[in-house]
């Protein structure tokens, strides 16, 4: 499986993943609400991304990252990579929120765990069980069906 520790580690990981999902949902819904009020994706991005950096820096300074000390040059490199690798997806999600329904964005986001799993399986980093694969397949199928339903519902509203 995916647990790198005992049952408490597994529970903490599941709790944090659930919290992350709730936070993403709040981000999507609040982004859509602000878009309807005329706040564009660029403005939201300009406000959110520096906040993300500040929160990450604060968590690092508080010692919430349980890794060994990291040289400043490595931190600068990690931030630079983060700006390139994470900045565009954060903006892309914000732009998607302004162009489509929250259900469409949410179901597309629900496909990410399956994609990550496939990439790790191809890379050979994940030793998984058939139950894990079956669970991901069910989640993937549900996300695809929800996406199809969302597109059909949007097309139906546009036709009337």
């Amino acid at each position: 499986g995916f647990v790198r520790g005992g049952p408490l580690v597994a529970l903490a990981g599941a709790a944090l993943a659930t919290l992350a999902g709730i936070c993403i949902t709040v981000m999507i819904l609040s982004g859509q609400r602000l878009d309807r009020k005329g706040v564009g994706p660029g403005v939201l991005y300009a406000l959110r991304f520096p906040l993300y950096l500040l929160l990450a820096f604060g968590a690092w300074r508080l010692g919430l990252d349980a890794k060994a000390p990291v040289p400043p040059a490595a931190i600068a490199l990690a931030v630079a990579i983060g700006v390139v690798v994470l900045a565009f997806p954060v903006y892309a999600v914000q732009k998607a929120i302004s162009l489509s329904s929250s259900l469409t964005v949410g179901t597309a986001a629900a496909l990410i765990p399956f994609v990550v799993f496939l990439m790790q399986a191809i890379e050979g980093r994940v030793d998984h069980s058939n139950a894990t694969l079956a669970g991901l397949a069910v989640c993937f199928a549900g996300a695809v069906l929800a996406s199809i339903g969302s597109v059909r519902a949007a097309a139906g509203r546009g036709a009337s």
Side-chain angles (χ1 to χ4, degrees):
F2 293 102
V3 179
R4 293 187 177 104
L8 285 176
V9 172
L11 186 59
L16 288 171
T18 301
L19 178 62
I22 291 168
C23 290
I24 289 169
T25 301
V26 170
M27 182 196 76
I28 290 170
L29 296 175
S30 66
Q32 198 167 53
R33 187 177 312 116
L34 289 168
D35 181 69
R36 283 193 303 264
K37 291 182 177 184
V39 180
V43 173
L44 283 173
Y45 176 79
L47 293 171
R48 284 183 175 161
F49 197 69
L51 179 62
Y52 298 155
L53 287 175
L54 287 173
L55 288 173
F57 180 76
W60 171 71
R61 292 299 299 161
L62 288 172
L64 298 178
D65 187 2
K67 307 264 184 215
V70 179
I75 293 171
L77 178 63
V79 169
I81 291 170
V83 167
V84 172
V85 176
L86 295 174
F88 176 72
V90 169
Y91 177 77
V93 167
Q94 198 57 57
K95 186 67 176 173
I97 289 168
S98 72
L99 297 174
S100 60
S101 75
S102 56
L103 180 61
T104 301
V105 175
T107 53
L111 299 175
I112 293 170
F114 189 72
V115 173
V116 169
F117 175 80
L118 286 178
M119 291 173 73
Q120 288 180 335
I122 290 168
E123 190 181 48
R125 293 188 332 166
V126 174
D127 182 26
H128 63 278
S129 67
N130 288 336
T132 301
L133 186 57
L136 280 170
V138 167
C139 289
F140 178 77
V144 168
L145 289 173
S147 293
I148 291 168
S150 177
V151 169
R152 286 186 177 168
R157 282 191 303 270
S160 40

